[in-house]
């Protein structure tokens, strides 16, 4: 069974290597797409390029401008920080607790999200008197929001409640509220399909399936970030591929070793069949030397793994368990009496 164990482990390692390599190729394709993207400033140059296109669009373009709401009054106000307004808001509440583990006999700290809300308002990227409306901002990659509020409030419990929690092995330590926001006026890089419509210029997810980005990083910074991550996935893929190769070689070694041992066993058995003597008429065999199954031939084989010598090779090949201890027969080793 050893070769099958190593074979399955090698197949698992190869599958993991293939997954990591697919992620690496995906990153590599994303980097090539970003390097081939049309980088253009928001302004008359962008308008001219869109007007010159037959479809009035740039399939994959890069622009950069300041984010501001379509309507000046249409902003999100923070409920926790005064005079802070934004375009995208995420509020997450997390429970911090301790649980008793019966396995380790220790208390372990755990966190879980008990509520999460997300909101956004229509906004655009502005520069030089021109605006580009941003479509589906929440579906964009690399969208970083600023943490404007992070507060932990310890749980207030009575003595009786504390005793109940201690007895049940589940103690609530407190609640943490984190608010993130994209403030008005944040400079963003938008990478996606840029289209000129009757209602103005807009940027959104590309129809070609390429990645849509909204980020405070520049194009070069996004490419460098993807390149650094790409190397990690490539190294991991190579490590697991090397490991799967080693496991396959070990599996082959055990397979051929088992075949060789089996062939040697068959050769021994064939020799024994040629030399074995069946009692003739009137001949007697010592009871302690006779096969416990047929009682006609000598005991001439060792049953492994138990080690009993209790039967002849012909009978041993017809049973799956040792006649003495009932353990499964793994191998038969011939015994030659001189």
């Amino acid at each position: 069974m050893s070769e099958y164990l190593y074979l399955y482990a090698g197949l698992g390692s190869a599958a993991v290597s293939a997954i990591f390599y697919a992620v690496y190729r995906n990153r590599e394709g994303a980097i090539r797409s970003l390097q081939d993207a049309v980088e253009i400033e928001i302004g008359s140059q962008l308008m001219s390029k869109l007007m010159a296109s037959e479809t009035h669009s740039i399939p994959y373009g890069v622009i950069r401008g300041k984010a501001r709401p379509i309507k000046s009054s249409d902003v999100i106000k923070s409920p926790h920080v005064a005079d802070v307004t934004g375009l995208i808001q995420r509020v997450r509440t997390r429970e911090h607790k301790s649980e008793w583990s019966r396995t380790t006999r220790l208390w372990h700290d755990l966190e879980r999200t008990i509520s999460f809300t997300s909101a956004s308002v229509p906004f655009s990227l502005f520069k030089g008197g021109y605006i580009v409306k941003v479509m589906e901002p929440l579906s964009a990659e690399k969208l970083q929001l600023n943490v404007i509020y992070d507060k932990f409030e310890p749980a207030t419990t009575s003595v009786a409640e504390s005793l109940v929690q201690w007895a049940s092995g589940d103690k609530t330590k407190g609640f943490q509220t984190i608010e993130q926001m994209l403030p008005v006026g944040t400079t963003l890089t938008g990478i996606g399909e840029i289209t000129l419509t009757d209602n103005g210029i807009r940027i959104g997810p590309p129809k070609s399936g390429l990645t849509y980005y909204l980020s405070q990083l520049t194009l070069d910074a996004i490419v460098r970030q993807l390149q650094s991550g790409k190397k990690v996935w490539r190294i991991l893929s190579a490590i697991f591929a090397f490991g799967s190769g080693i496991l396959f070689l070990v599996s082959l070694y055990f397979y051929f070793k088992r075949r060789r041992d089996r062939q040697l066993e068959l050769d021994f058995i064939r020799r024994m069949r040629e030399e074995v003597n069946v009692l003739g008429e009137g001949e007697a065999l010592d009871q302690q030397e006779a096969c416990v199954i047929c009682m006609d031939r000598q005991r001439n084989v060792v049953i492994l793994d138990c080690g009993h010598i209790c039967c002849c090779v012909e009978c041993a090949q017809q049973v799956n368990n040792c006649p003495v201890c009932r353990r499964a027969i793994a191998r038969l080793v011939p015994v030659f009496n001189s």
Side-chain angles (χ1 to χ4, degrees), residues 183-211:
V184 175
T186 302
T187 301
L188 291 179
T189 299
I191 306 174
E193 183 173 2
I194 307 171
T195 309
L196 177 62
T197 67
D198 295 337
N199 297 322
I201 306 174
R202 59 179 59 183
I203 183 171
K207 296 184 180 66
S208 59
L210 295 175
T211 306

Side-chain angles (χ1 to χ4, degrees), residues 56 110 135 189 191 229 294 321:
H56 297 299
L110 300 175
M135 310 300 294
T189 299
I191 306 174
C294 67
N321 301 92

